[in-house]
Every structure is written in structure tokens, then in C-alpha cells.
Amino acid sequence: MFIYTLKRLAVAVPTFIAVLLITFTLTVISPFDPVAMMMTQFEGTLDTLAKEEVIERIRDQYGLNDSYWVQFTRWIGRLMQGDLGISINGQRNVLRMIVKTFPISFQLGLAGAVVTTILGIPLGCIAALKQNTWLDYTIVGGTLGFRTVPVFVLAPLLLVLFVLVLDIMRVPRGWDGLFQSKVLLPVFILALGPLPVVVRQTRAAVLEVFSMDYVRTAKMKGLHMWRIIIRHILRNALIPVVTTLGFIAEGLIVGSIFLDSIFAIPGFGGVAEAGFRGFDYPVIMGVTMVSAVMIILTNLIVDLVYPFLDPRIKIE
Amino acid sequence: MSESSERVSNESLGEVLAGDGALRTRSLWKDAIGRLLRNRLSIIGLIITVLLLISALFGPYIAPYSYTEQDLLNVAKMPSPDHWLGTDEIGRDLFSRVLWGARTATLVAIFTTFISVIIGVIVGAIAGYGGALADNITGRIIDIVMSVPGLLLAALIAVSIKEPVVSWAENVYDTTGFPLFADTTWLDLLVVFGGLAFVSWPGYARLIRGQIFSLREEQYIEAAKSVGVSELKIALRHLLPNAIGPVIVTLTFSFSSAMVLESSLSYLGIGVQPPQASWGNMIASNIGSWSYRPWLVAVPALTLAFVTLGINFLGDGLNDALNPRSKRSI
């Protein structure tokens, strides 16, 4: 197990370093110039010649004239100390912005993941049990069809439908904790994104388990259908569903980028959206890295937990 | 639906079993088209896709107004005979802008798909033919690209390369007067293509690699090898025709996801810039006023939703039609 963990880490860590490298390189190419930003405070006080000299000195002082690799290692060092830089718009500490908003998004995401599972597993089961009937096609086709309809399309359409057309809810805005009715719609929309993956995975797993001998035995014993499903099929079929956690995490992160501003939720996604809209490079970099860490970590946890769930997977 | 497709596969099985070539023969493609047209959802998908392509090609000629033309006496008006889908917040005709948006979406989707297929096929072929080391290295690269959410990575790339590309083009124009760079709005599109292609090629690379690996084990390939057919000829005559089905299906799906990614970038203000019409930036500029001008959001949103649904239905139908053996194997 120890060696297996090391091996998984040996995959996850270089992946993360490569992500850092890509992020860093992109910002080096990008027009973002921290010195020019600092210079805005001297606007009008210096003549052009003095300005050039000040810029050159600041560049030297902050090591911006050093080679690419020196800068990269220094940047990594700062990251290790939790320094994600200062945002361009509003001069705020990026790490603090993320830390402040993350818990809200985490709760929403968790709720979304729970709803996805609660909806997806029964739907997947039904699709598998009614394989190749209209019900199967409707479930699989319906969720598959929706897999690419983005949040910023679904959210306003559902808002118009529920608030204006059906008039069954007030405009859900803001965040007062997870157990509020206004959270219902955002969570539901978040859950729709990763739903098809869960449905497909459950359906395939149930179909596979369905043909196993022990299920046939249970059927022959005359056990009730639902009892077979819950006791014998689901237990084994749910294991592969765990592998979809990485997709779910990605779906939730991307979903919240659009969702937060539409529902005025002060979350991680809102920080990301504002960063992109304002071309705020430190924020964009911070958000990208935190998202990559989340996904790589989720996949690592799945890899580490999986052998315990499915003893057939050999740990080498 | 299941009965009919079962009957079809039995029928074709019967033909194969009957064996002598005098039998009524149907080509693979005719067979596939037949299966496709028997599926109601894929016909709907096909119609939507054709409508999209028509609007993309002829939209500017069909559109009653230009995408920038403002009717200042009719700002933010509900649908009327003059403006079929109403006008937006600064008096532009919504129907015309939706049509122009179809052109943007299709253009981006076609180019992105094209670029990412080329990269994907090259990388996939390297992984499939280059031996274990090449396979490992390309596999790692794919893992890395896929560990960042596609939208975030594409957005980061677009944000980073946009200004350098534009200022480079302006420099070139200033020094050489190269007429192509006089107007830099099309560079927006180019930047979007670049970002999107960079995040979409791994899917193709994995697909091609998988096809090479699985088809290589087939007996007819082995047979061809044993009689001394060259690798290139095997690749062109046997691998390619057999791999084309899954590739077409993936093409369809990634066409719709490229479209969605483009509108996502445009929604975030990184992609296609106003006043150019993109469904994404049309939704973005009106999302704040959904409660009192719902049609301004609903029209582009519904269009995008219907188009992606339609293309996905078509993809599903193609999947069933081109890979009948893997019928609904998910």
C-alpha cells in the first residue's frame, strides 16, 4: 500500500508541477506587467527619463530581469509560503480572496455532488433495469443531451421559467447559509452538469453486475426485485461510480464560475469570473491553480480509496 | 426503436451468413444512413444541424438588419413584425444578431475541431506507433492538460496570448502595411481557436491511440501483415476505414462542446468581443436584466441550448448508426 501511495503521488506531483509551469509560462507571455502597475501611483510625479530608471530599478529589485528558471523557482517558493500575489483590481490578497469565498462554494459543491448522486444513481439503475426501452432511452438521451448545455444558459432559462412563467419562487439571490430555500435552484443547476456521467457509469455498472451468478441465484431464490437491487447489485455497482468524482469536481468548479454572479453568491466561482472579466492575472492564476489542485487531489483520493472498495484491484 | 434496430442487425447478419456475393448488397455507409434516418431523435438533430449550417452560411443575407444597426426608436422592444424577436438594450435587431451569432459559433467550432483533430491524430499516432516510451510521454502530457478544467485553461490561454498577438499584428501592420492586419477583430477569433484547440485535442489523441491499439490486435490486420503489406498501407486501408466511425461520432460531440466553450469564453468577456455577435456575449450583456427583459436572455440561451441538444442527438444517432455492434454500450 505504501509503495502504491508513493506511485500515485509520483504521478500527481509532476502533473501539478507541469500545471504550475504552464500557468507561469502563460503569464510570462501575457501583457501583465507588475512594475507598470506599481508605477501608476507615481503618475505625473516623474518625468519620462526618471520613470525609466525607476522602472529598471524596481525590475532589478524584484528580480524581474533574472532568467526564466530563476523566476520560476522563486515564484514556486512564494507559492509554498501561500503567497498568490495581490489582485490588480482592488489590490487584495489573492489567497485571502480565495480562502474567504471557498467555504461557500465548497458547501454548494458538496450539496451539488450529493444531489447528483441521489438523482444519478436511481436514474442509472432504472435505465439499466429497463435496458433498451423508451425509459432507458429517455433517461440516457435526456441526460446525455444536457451534458453540454452550459450553466449560463440553463440558469437564466430556469429563472425565467420558475420566477416569471410559473411564478412559484422569488428571485433567489445571495447566500445565507446552505439550508435556505434560495439555494435550491443553484444547487440543482450545479448538479445537472455532472449528472450524465453518474447516470452512465451507474447504468454500465448495474448492467455488468446484473449478469453475475450471485444475482441470478438471488433471483432464483425468489427475492424481491428491489431487495436484490439494494442488497446485491447496488453495493457492487456503486464502486465504479466513485471514479467519476474527478469529473464531478470539475463540473462543479466550472459550473460555479457562471452560477455565482447570476445568483449573487459570494463564492470561489465569482472570484474567478471577476478575475477573467477584469483580466486580473494574479487572480486568474490563483483560481486556475486552486482548481487544478482540487481536481488532482480528488483523483488522487479516488485512486487511494479505490483498492479498499474493490479488492479486485491489485495494489502493486 | 430497439425492435427495429434489432431487426436490422439480424438482417445484416443474415446477409453475411448467406455469404455468396450475389445477395442484395448494401454498403456500410448506406446501412449507416438507413439506421440514422430510422432514429427520430437523430432526424431532429440533423434538421437542427442543417438549419445551423444554413444560418451560418447565409445568415448575413437572410438577416433583415446588420448586427450593429441600431433602431433608436425601438430600444429593448418585445417581438414585433418589424423585429421578429424584438430588439436588444441598444436597439439592435435580435433575430439578425442571433443569425450572425450562428456564424460566429459555427466558424469557431469548425476551426477548433479541425485544429484539434490534426493535433490529436498526430499525437495519437505517435502514441500508437512510437513505442512504449512515446506512449508514456504523450500519455503524461494528456493527463496534464486534462487536469485543469478545459474552460479555465482555454480562458487562461486566451487572456494571456490575446494582447501579445494583437500588438504583434499591429506592429506588422505598422511596418509592412500588410492589409490583412488592418483590422484586428478577426484575431479575437484566432485567439479563441488557439485556446479551445489546446484544450480539446487530448480527446482525439486518446481516441486515435485507443483505436490503433485495439485494431492492431484484429486478425485481418495480422493477416495483412503476414502477407507483407506495408505498415502505411495497413494504416490507410484497414485502420483508417475502421477508425473513421468513432472519429465521426467524436467530431460531432466536440463540435457542440467547442461551440459551448466559445460562448462560455465570450460570456466571460474573453472570447468574441462586442459588437461582434456571439450567443455567449449576447447572454452576458443581458443576464442582469433577465427579470424585466427576459426575451433578451432567453432567445440566445434557447438557441444555444437547442443547437447543442440537436448536435448531441445527431451524435448519438451517428454513434448507433456507425457502431451498430456497440449499440448503446455506454
Side-chain angles (χ1 to χ4, degrees):
Chain A
M1 186 63 207
F2 180 65
I3 295 177
Y4 175 76
T5 311
L6 277 187
K7 262 192 181 169
R8 291 287 100 196
L9 275 175
V11 173
V13 172
T15 309
F16 183 59
I17 293 176
V19 170
L20 290 182
L21 201 61
I22 294 176
T23 320
F24 181 74
T25 312
L26 281 172
T27 32
V28 170
I29 306 172
S30 80
F32 171 53
D33 185 356
V35 182
M37 270 207 42
M38 295 168 87
M39 291 309 290
T40 50
Q41 57 184 311
F42 298 119
E43 207 58 62
T45 56
L46 294 171
D47 60 63
T48 341
L49 209 70
K51 207 172 171 181
E52 300 245 316
E53 189 157 335
V54 173
I55 288 180
E56 202 46 38
R57 250 193 232 160
I58 296 177
R59 290 190 75 85
D60 261 341
Q61 197 184 337
Y62 285 88
L64 290 171
N65 293 329
D66 293 344
S67 78
Y68 173 85
W69 289 107
V70 172
Q71 286 194 52
F72 179 63
T73 26
R74 195 181 305 132
W75 182 66
I76 298 264
R78 280 210 305 273
L79 280 186
M80 293 294 172
Q81 295 162 20
D83 179 6
L84 291 180
I86 305 291
S87 77
I88 298 177
N89 306 324
Q91 306 280 316
R92 289 161 65 199
N93 183 318
V94 175
L95 183 72
R96 211 168 296 150
M97 286 167 84
I98 293 175
V99 167
K100 213 169 131 192
T101 52
F102 196 79
I104 297 172
S105 293
F106 190 74
Q107 291 176 47
L108 273 179
L110 213 58
V114 169
V115 173
T116 303
T117 327
I118 290 176
L119 287 178
I121 289 173
L123 283 177
C125 279
I126 295 171
L129 296 176
K130 304 278 175 197
Q131 193 195 2
N132 294 335
T133 63
W134 65 270
L135 198 58
D136 179 22
Y137 293 137
T138 315
I139 292 173
V140 176
T143 48
L144 266 184
F146 274 105
R147 89 175 133 193
T148 54
V149 177
V151 165
F152 62 89
V153 166
L154 267 181
L157 288 180
L158 290 180
L159 277 173
V160 170
L161 178 70
F162 288 140
V163 180
L164 295 183
V165 179
L166 299 176
D167 198 15
I168 50 170
M169 60 163 74
R170 296 230 308 276
V171 183
R173 284 183 72 80
W175 172 260
D176 300 320
L178 189 57
F179 299 99
Q180 295 285 328
S181 60
K182 59 177 150 190
V183 167
L184 280 176
L185 194 60
V187 167
F188 176 67
I189 293 171
L190 265 187
L192 275 183
L195 186 64
V197 187
V198 179
V199 169
R200 277 158 45 157
Q201 193 62 268
T202 312
R203 181 182 177 277
V206 169
L207 280 181
E208 199 197 321
V209 178
F210 210 58
S211 54
M212 295 280 169
D213 285 342
Y214 58 83
V215 174
R216 209 180 309 154
T217 314
K219 263 191 249 173
M220 280 196 303
K221 269 173 28 186
L223 285 187
H224 192 264
M225 199 58 204
W226 280 107
R227 204 181 154 86
I228 300 178
I229 292 171
I230 291 167
R231 291 277 312 245
H232 297 278
I233 296 180
L234 265 189
R235 253 191 203 186
N236 292 296
L238 285 190
I239 296 166
V241 178
V242 173
T243 54
T244 59
L245 269 175
F247 285 103
I248 296 182
E250 175 167 350
L252 295 177
I253 291 171
V254 172
S256 81
I257 293 178
F258 300 105
L259 208 64
D260 286 358
S261 71
I262 297 178
F263 290 98
I265 296 168
F268 175 73
V271 173
E273 195 194 341
F276 281 119
R277 286 197 185 282
F279 286 71
D280 199 330
Y281 291 91
V283 176
I284 296 174
M285 282 169 88
V287 166
T288 311
M289 282 180 301
V290 171
S291 313
V293 169
M294 293 296 294
I295 291 171
I296 294 172
L297 260 185
T298 314
N299 284 328
L300 183 68
I301 292 171
V302 169
D303 279 351
L304 293 182
V305 169
Y306 204 71
F308 291 107
L309 298 176
D310 189 350
R312 283 173 303 178
I313 303 290
K314 272 187 241 137
I315 303 172
E316 276 157 3
Chain B
M1 197 159 71
S2 69
E3 263 175 41
S4 70
S5 38
E6 215 119 276
R7 204 179 60 233
V8 174
S9 53
N10 283 342
E11 211 175 278
S12 27
L13 189 69
E15 281 178 21
V16 176
L17 287 178
D20 59 45
L23 221 89
R24 179 172 58 104
T25 52
R26 275 189 305 192
S27 78
L28 172 78
W29 294 105
K30 262 189 195 153
D31 223 27
I33 291 172
R35 270 195 296 269
L36 184 70
L37 294 183
R38 226 166 281 132
N39 183 341
R40 231 168 292 155
L41 274 184
S42 54
I43 290 193
I44 297 176
L46 196 63
I47 293 172
I48 291 178
T49 312
V50 169
L51 280 179
L52 171 78
L53 293 178
I54 291 176
S55 342
L57 268 177
F58 304 110
Y61 309 103
I62 309 170
Y65 303 90
S66 134
Y67 64 93
T68 47
E69 191 180 328
Q70 287 171 271
D71 182 350
L72 292 172
L73 294 175
N74 290 301
V75 171
K77 282 282 180 332
M78 297 277 277
S80 66
D82 272 348
H83 301 280
W84 293 353
L85 294 175
T87 54
D88 70 4
E89 76 282 7
I90 51 173
R92 295 172 299 193
D93 182 56
L94 207 55
F95 177 60
S96 308
R97 285 184 60 79
V98 166
L99 284 176
W100 283 92
R103 172 168 272 203
T104 311
T106 312
L107 206 64
V108 172
I110 287 177
F111 272 92
T112 306
T113 312
F114 183 70
I115 301 169
S116 49
V117 164
I118 290 178
I119 304 176
V121 167
I122 293 172
V123 176
I126 292 173
Y129 283 113
L133 184 67
D135 187 24
N136 259 327
I137 293 173
T138 50
R140 302 294 317 137
I141 295 174
I142 291 173
D143 279 352
I144 290 162
V145 176
M146 286 183 127
S147 67
V148 186
L151 175 72
L152 278 181
L153 189 57
L156 182 61
I157 292 172
V159 162
S160 307
I161 64 175
K162 186 178 197 131
E163 277 191 48
V165 168
V166 170
S167 65
W168 170 79
E170 278 166 357
N171 265 339
V172 172
Y173 181 68
D174 286 346
T175 48
T176 62
F178 195 46
L180 193 59
F181 291 138
D183 174 33
T184 52
T185 43
W186 64 275
L187 285 171
D188 282 353
L189 286 178
L190 196 73
V191 169
V192 177
F193 298 157
L196 294 188
F198 188 84
V199 296
S200 3
W201 65 265
Y204 291 104
R206 278 204 175 152
L207 176 76
I208 298 291
R209 174 191 172 276
Q211 289 289 323
I212 291 174
F213 273 91
S214 73
L215 290 173
R216 245 198 331 222
E217 307 298 317
E218 296 283 342
Q219 288 182 342
Y220 55 84
I221 304 274
E222 224 170 288
K225 264 190 201 150
S226 65
V227 293
V229 182
S230 73
E231 278 282 347
L232 187 69
K233 204 166 176 190
I234 289 178
L236 291 180
R237 298 263 336 224
H238 298 289
L239 284 177
L240 197 66
N242 279 300
I244 201 102
V247 170
I248 290 179
V249 172
T250 316
L251 271 180
T252 328
F253 284 130
S254 53
F255 192 84
S256 70
S257 52
M259 224 170 231
V260 166
L261 278 173
E262 178 270 313
S263 50
S264 308
L265 288 187
S266 305
Y267 178 88
L268 291 175
I270 305 162
V272 180
Q273 298 297 321
Q276 297 286 326
S278 152
W279 296 332
N281 68 29
M282 289 167 73
I283 298 174
S285 55
N286 293 299
I287 191 112
S289 55
W290 67 266
S291 53
Y292 47 98
R293 292 175 198 148
W295 73 96
L296 287 185
V297 180
V299 168
L302 279 176
T303 315
L304 184 56
F306 274 121
V307 167
T308 46
L309 283 179
I311 296 175
N312 282 352
F313 285 151
L314 179 65
D316 258 358
L318 281 172
N319 191 24
D320 294 346
L322 291 170
N323 313 321
R325 259 181 305 178
S326 72
K327 193 178 59 160
R328 292 268 170 201
S329 74
I330 303 184

